Amino acid sequence: MRVTWFGHSSMLVEIDGVNVVVDPFWSERASPFPWLGPKRWYEPPVSIDHLPHVDVVIVSHDHYDHLDRASVQAFNARGVRFIVPLGIGAHLRDWGVPNDRITELDWWQEASVGTLRIVSTPSRHASGRLEAHSDATLWTGYALIGPTHRAFYSGDTGMNDTFADVGRRLGPFDVTMIEDGQYDAQWPDWHLGPEQAMRVHEDVRGKVLIPVHWGLLKLAHHGWTEPAERILAAARCSKADVLIPEPGQAVEPTTHPSIPRWWPKEPWFTAAQHPIVASRKGDPRDLFDVPVCP
């Protein structure tokens, strides 16, 4: 099993002979406009044309930083199959993807690609693009279950009570790819933040954690290196195994490689200084219990 992270939430997961591209984002901006919106900090580490054979693309939801039209059309030109949450097939069909290469899943539904089971798992987020019908499509995470290895991708999500159920039903996972960035106290129920990402890793019974959803775009106010620093701090308290590959670096999580620190030392706020804690049902008086690591 091998994971290559391209920045933000885009990655290639090679698992038990099946090659899966996750939330492909190769465009310059996460926006419907080429001149406006969050701009990527560096060129893609590899072009889509230079990727190995891709069996399937999975998409977590339809926000512009996860469902990128140009990237979808490039993979469509290669004849790739797409697995997406409910409602997102309409976007793909509008962009020229044949209906017979689109599979839409509700939570807990699954599809097979070769010997790999791909299961849609619940998440807590939102959806919508620059159009009249926001939140009309589903958002999801995914469990990738092969005959030998298992991987979990959280998608964009806030903290919720479903992750322990994912771990019981589908875990343990050799690797988890969990969103770790683009958090803010103003939207604590939409994104996890590092400490809650660590809790999700534990809930789903993950062995190695690769933090994603950071390191490519600025969508929140935190410093760009803070997600890496805080997830490592949380890992020291939880004694968890965390890998932070450089964008474009392929890693084999089950071999527990040693990855040198590649990001610079920059000022960052700790969990105690800027806590991100989700409410259970939107009530700020009823919060999840997330230990703060000093």
Side-chain angles (χ1 to χ4, degrees):
M1 185 171 65
R2 184 183 295 117
V3 178
T4 308
W5 176 61
F6 302 122
H8 205 59
S9 294
S10 289
M11 63 196 117
L12 169 67
V13 181
E14 301 168 80
I15 175 170
D16 293 348
V18 178
N19 290 352
V20 183
V21 166
V22 179
D23 282 352
F25 176 74
W26 263 258
S27 289
E28 185 177 33
R29 295 182 185 273
S31 167
F33 308 110
W35 65 90
L36 182 68
K39 185 177 180 179
R40 64 184 307 133
W41 299 334
Y42 48 85
E43 292 296 315
V46 62
S47 70
I48 291 176
D49 289 340
H50 285 84
L51 290 174
H53 171 77
V54 175
D55 295 289
V56 65
V57 168
I58 61 174
V59 174
S60 62
H61 63 297
D62 68 2
H63 285 157
Y64 289 97
D65 53 325
H66 295 261
L67 180 64
D68 175 47
R69 177 174 180 167
S71 300
V72 166
Q73 291 177 321
F75 281 105
N76 180 42
R78 295 182 61 170
V80 174
R81 180 180 173 187
F82 293 83
I83 294 178
V84 299
L86 291 178
I88 291 183
H91 294 305
L92 273 57
R93 286 187 287 272
D94 286 347
W95 300 341
V97 181
N99 193 58
D100 62 359
R101 285 198 275 112
I102 301 170
T103 302
E104 295 185 80
L105 299 179
D106 198 354
W107 291 341
W108 300 118
Q109 289 183 336
E110 64 181 79
S112 294
V113 180
T115 59
L116 186 70
R117 295 169 56 207
I118 299 179
V119 185
S120 170
T121 60
S123 64
R124 181 185 188 186
H125 196 53
S127 67
R129 297 168 75 84
L130 191 61
E131 55 190 30
H133 304 292
S134 292
D135 293 332
T137 60
L138 190 62
W139 46 92
T140 193
Y142 290 99
L144 310 179
I145 304 174
T148 305
H149 298 102
R150 296 181 181 222
F152 172 74
Y153 170 53
S154 68
D156 278 12
T157 184
M159 193 66 200
N160 62 77
D161 289 318
T162 65
F163 296 114
D165 199 18
V166 171
R168 284 190 298 269
R169 294 171 65 166
L170 303 172
F173 295 98
D174 298 287
V175 64
T176 66
M177 293 86 68
I178 298 178
E179 68 129 83
D180 176 49
Q182 316 313 325
Y183 51 84
D184 194 283
Q186 296 180 47
W187 54 85
D189 295 344
W190 273 39
H191 291 291
L192 291 167
E195 297 73 36
Q196 294 185 137
M198 182 56 64
R199 176 171 170 181
V200 170
H201 174 70
E202 294 169 346
D203 281 355
V204 301
R205 299 195 293 157
K207 298 176 182 177
V208 177
L209 167 62
I210 296 177
V212 299
H213 204 243
W214 73 288
L216 180 64
L217 299 164
K218 182 174 177 59
L219 303 176
H221 300 302
H222 59 71
W224 84 267
T225 64
E226 187 176 297
E229 302 288 7
R230 281 176 62 163
I231 200 69
L232 289 177
R236 287 192 290 271
C237 289
S238 298
K239 297 181 172 53
D241 193 354
V242 173
L243 294 178
I244 305 182
E246 193 169 356
Q249 178 184 8
V251 296
E252 298 181 6
T254 57
T255 66
H256 302 279
S258 176
I259 299 177
R261 177 193 179 101
W262 53 267
W263 60 95
K265 290 187 177 181
E266 300 283 350
W268 56 281
F269 290 102
T270 67
Q273 291 171 313
H274 283 181
I276 305 297
V277 183
S279 68
R280 292 189 178 276
K281 296 181 180 179
D283 184 351
R285 298 166 299 179
D286 185 12
L287 302 179
F288 282 93
D289 180 20
V290 178
V292 175
C293 182

